[in-house]
Amino acid sequence: MNEASNINVRGTIDELYRTESRRILSTLIRLLGDFDLAEEAMHDAFAAAMEKWAEEGIPANPRAWLVSAGRFKGIDVMRRRSRIDESGAEIIEHLEADNGDPAEFADRAVKDDELRLIFTCCHPALAPDARIALTLREVCGLTTEEIARAFLTTPSTLAQRIVRAKAKIRDAGIPYKIPSHDDLPGRLEAVLHVIYLVFNEGYSASSGDSLTRADLSGEAIRLGRLLLELLPANPQAAPFEPEVRGLVALMLLQESRRAARSSAEGDLVLLEDQDRSLWNQEMIREGTQLVRRALASQSFGAYTVQAAIAAVHAEAPAAAATDWAQIVALYDVLLQVAPSPVVELNRAVAVALSDSAEAGLQLIDGILARGELSDYHLAHSARADLCRRMGRFAEARESYERALALTKLEPERRFLERRLHDLA
Amino acid sequence: MKYMLLVYYSEKEMSDSERDRCYVDSARLSCDLAAEGKFVDASPLQLVDTATSVRVRNGKTLVTDGPFAETHEQLGGYYLIDANDLDEAIGIATRIPVATLGTIEIRPVLEIPGLPGEKRQ
């Protein structure tokens, strides 16, 4: 074998690792029934490929070759362990009897394995932060160090969290399967929630390495797209597709504004002050299309409605041209689908802009009087802003100060201080 | 695999007649689970007033009145079930009458081979 084809084999394997390793891992987890063993077996299989393919050439179906090699490697490891532990013998017998049905490697089976992996990593019996860590590690293939950096924790804390989660999956019998039809809505909700949390960590947080944060948003969008690609192949899950579409739309529409959201100095730029020429039109186009299809399905949820609101903003060529009446109407729908005081607050701001500042202020004061949002800085800064517009400067100052006392984010602090300064 | 479902609820918030009703409904669930081949064992417990806690420290036995921990909700009974996986155990937990009032804690059983009481198998 000459050097050139060696390099060619290495290039192919590197490319396969990038594009197929998560799929191969998810199938090996199903075949071997163990996360760690599957990971070890997969790496062994890639190492074996490097050797064999250099001698024998690249096989016709490299993924099937790698899964099959990984399965044998896994059985080998189990056999070595079972010399120490008798209980493994039965599992090995079972594994060997099942002689690698080629259907295991068909696209459909592999897609279901990916879906199984997502549902297992986002199982509600795992702690929410463990779900995020496990999903990023196992489904997205991020390293423990990368995840730790993004979530501002140490790699050892994060590694522990992942080890504990894997132990619980094994010991508590968390199944590696797509949930039954009855369980699916709740489970899918947990999956979408994890994806949205990952996205928001990349989008909203203002501390840490900004590059890594943007990567997280990108990863969340990729996961959402993956679900969109996988779900329709699964008849059980198909009815829940619109809300997945809605979530992907929401993430794309928010992400489209990334470049316009902060100034060169790292200060916050409000939606109304953003340079709309910086918005990513391609993401807006795709997000708007997705949200239209989700809305047309008539069986959408909160993510879709929020995406629709983001789409109305995206369609306005200038802040002043925003269709606020439509936004208020969408908030009315959102309040029915997912009622919360924060949604009420956002609706109040939309009412202030579509109707009058007085009407909006009245609604905000009503919410604050109930005491539910009295510690939420955005409620006070929204109130302050309306008072300022109405010329009630003393009240505005008081509310800005209250917001300033409650916020923990540095760019927000600077923004509020600037507003207070302008009032003086 | 086997799971222990521990049933916690606030004893004070249930009247005697409600409790009796709950025992009947729970007994029915036990029969249903037996018919499904999922039942191993189940029982309500006497009220927490009857609890006694025992500790041995430095060879000395300490016996105290009351449960392991004084909490708002008390351990009121248990089911030992045989389920395929945690999802099935969660499904069974939702069928326990008290699940609508209190909390069902699911604990997988660590099975140690060779112990007496193989009848549980």
Side-chain angles (χ1 to χ4, degrees):
Chain A
M1 205 83 222
N2 62 40
E3 197 141 311
S5 58
N6 253 335
I7 292 166
N8 181 24
V9 166
R10 169 159 289 283
T12 305
I13 288 178
D14 285 349
E15 177 63 18
L16 274 169
Y17 191 85
R18 250 193 319 279
T19 57
E20 294 283 345
S21 66
R22 294 298 114 188
R23 288 177 189 168
I24 291 166
L25 178 70
S26 58
T27 298
L28 286 175
I29 293 172
R30 171 168 57 83
L31 294 173
L32 299 170
D34 183 309
F35 274 73
D36 291 328
L37 182 62
E39 194 142 339
E40 197 182 325
M42 180 185 73
H43 286 119
D44 285 352
F46 272 96
M50 196 59 225
E51 225 171 276
K52 279 269 191 253
W53 297 2
E55 286 167 24
E56 297 167 10
I58 294 160
N61 186 344
R63 184 209 288 157
W65 192 100
L66 286 160
V67 170
S68 180
R71 184 169 160 277
F72 283 119
K73 298 278 175 192
I75 294 173
D76 269 356
V77 173
M78 273 189 171
R79 189 178 289 120
R80 281 200 299 276
R81 279 185 199 161
S82 75
R83 299 220 176 98
I84 311 160
D85 172 10
E86 288 296 314
S87 70
E90 198 184 320
I91 305 172
I92 293 168
E93 217 169 278
H94 175 77
L95 273 175
E96 283 186 325
D98 171 18
N99 217 346
D101 179 357
E104 304 271 25
F105 316 129
D107 274 359
R108 170 68 191 280
V110 171
K111 278 185 179 172
D112 276 357
D113 284 337
E114 285 186 278
L115 210 49
R116 278 188 191 96
L117 184 58
I118 296 173
F119 278 110
T120 304
C121 292
C122 295
H123 197 281
L126 300 170
D129 50 5
R131 282 181 229 166
I132 294 174
L134 205 58
T135 303
L136 289 173
R137 180 77 196 84
E138 305 298 323
V139 185
C140 303
L142 297 194
T143 65
T144 309
E145 289 72 22
E146 283 170 327
I147 306 166
R149 209 179 320 135
F151 286 90
L152 302 179
T153 177
T154 63
S156 67
T157 306
L158 205 103
Q160 253 173 15
R161 202 175 285 163
I162 291 174
V163 167
R164 263 204 305 273
K166 284 182 186 168
K168 180 158 185 186
I169 290 172
R170 186 187 60 231
D171 298 337
I174 290 177
Y176 192 64
K177 69 180 188 198
I178 298 161
S180 67
H181 192 272
D182 288 348
D183 287 341
L184 200 59
R187 294 292 163 83
L188 191 60
E189 204 181 294
V191 170
L192 297 185
H193 190 62
V194 165
I195 295 176
Y196 198 44
L197 284 177
V198 169
F199 177 81
N200 272 321
E201 196 52 41
Y203 188 74
S204 304
S206 57
S207 48
D209 179 348
S210 62
L211 186 70
T212 313
R213 300 298 178 132
D215 284 355
L216 277 188
S217 293
E219 237 359 273
I221 292 171
R222 197 186 68 80
L223 264 181
R225 284 191 208 275
L226 184 65
L227 271 188
L228 260 189
E229 182 195 327
L230 298 180
L231 284 179
N234 192 290
Q236 276 194 338
F240 309 106
E241 205 188 320
E243 194 52 357
V244 182
R245 223 177 269 289
L247 175 62
V248 177
L250 176 60
M251 294 192 293
L252 283 169
L253 288 164
Q254 289 185 344
E255 185 70 11
S256 73
R257 298 185 202 133
R258 182 182 287 278
R261 283 174 71 234
S262 52
S263 68
E265 294 78 40
D267 284 328
L268 277 183
V269 181
L270 292 185
L271 189 58
E272 60 184 84
D273 303 324
Q274 286 176 13
D275 175 358
R276 295 183 180 218
S277 70
L278 294 176
W279 289 0
N280 182 322
Q281 290 304 321
E282 201 174 315
M283 285 187 189
I284 290 174
R285 226 176 356 259
E286 193 189 346
T288 309
Q289 255 168 22
L290 283 168
V291 80
R292 281 218 183 90
R293 279 188 66 185
L295 285 171
S297 74
Q298 301 283 329
S299 66
F300 50 84
Y303 294 120
T304 301
V305 185
Q306 291 176 77
I309 293 168
V312 176
H313 283 298
E315 279 162 4
T322 307
D323 184 351
W324 286 105
Q326 203 189 343
I327 289 180
V328 172
L330 285 166
Y331 272 119
D332 287 336
V333 178
L334 187 56
L335 269 178
Q336 294 194 336
V337 185
S340 89
V342 173
V343 173
E344 265 185 81
L345 174 69
N346 291 335
R347 181 182 174 279
V349 174
V351 167
L353 291 159
S354 100
D355 192 355
S356 69
E358 284 88 349
L361 185 63
Q362 221 166 27
L363 289 171
I364 293 180
D365 282 342
I367 301 163
L368 283 171
R370 297 203 314 260
E372 282 170 291
L373 293 183
S374 38
D375 289 334
Y376 184 56
H377 67 278
L378 292 179
H380 295 284
S381 63
R383 184 180 193 282
D385 199 49
L386 294 186
C387 289
R388 182 180 58 90
R389 281 166 203 243
M390 291 158 68
R392 290 156 67 166
F393 298 121
E395 274 183 84
R397 187 168 304 116
E398 203 180 308
S399 288
Y400 276 130
E401 274 164 0
R402 184 103 183 82
L404 192 59
L406 288 166
T407 187
K408 292 182 189 79
L409 299 175
E410 198 43 47
E412 253 168 21
R413 185 180 299 281
R414 284 201 301 273
F415 169 79
L416 291 166
E417 275 165 354
R418 223 169 33 243
R419 278 286 153 98
L420 269 169
H421 178 80
D422 292 346
L423 275 181
Chain B
M1 67 194 272
K2 292 198 182 63
Y3 294 88
M4 186 72 145
L5 310 186
L6 299 161
V7 182
Y8 290 90
Y9 73 105
S10 171
E11 289 178 350
K12 273 182 274 176
E13 278 167 29
M14 209 188 259
S15 70
D16 287 347
S17 66
E18 280 170 332
R19 191 173 295 112
D20 287 344
R21 179 66 207 270
C22 188
Y23 292 158
V24 172
D25 290 343
S26 300
R28 189 170 302 132
L29 173 61
S30 293
C31 294
D32 291 347
L33 290 175
E36 292 163 31
K38 308 280 174 203
F39 182 82
V40 183
D41 196 7
S43 203
L45 301 178
Q46 294 281 6
L47 295 187
V48 77
D49 294 347
T50 63
T52 304
S53 296
V54 179
R55 294 170 184 82
V56 177
R57 297 286 183 275
N58 301 321
K60 230 178 113 183
T61 302
L62 302 163
V63 178
T64 50
D65 175 39
F68 166 66
E70 294 286 355
T71 50
H72 174 65
E73 294 187 316
Q74 294 85 26
L75 180 63
Y78 69 90
Y79 289 77
L80 187 60
I81 60 162
D82 203 343
N84 290 325
D85 54 44
L86 185 64
D87 280 357
E88 196 170 88
I90 292 171
I92 292 171
T94 63
R95 292 159 66 190
I96 295 176
V98 179
T100 56
L101 302 170
T103 306
I104 316 298
E105 179 179 331
I106 302 177
R107 295 284 294 272
V109 170
L110 178 60
E111 292 192 61
I112 298 175
L115 287 184
E118 291 290 315
K119 67 177 181 342
R120 278 182 173 178
Q121 292 296 325

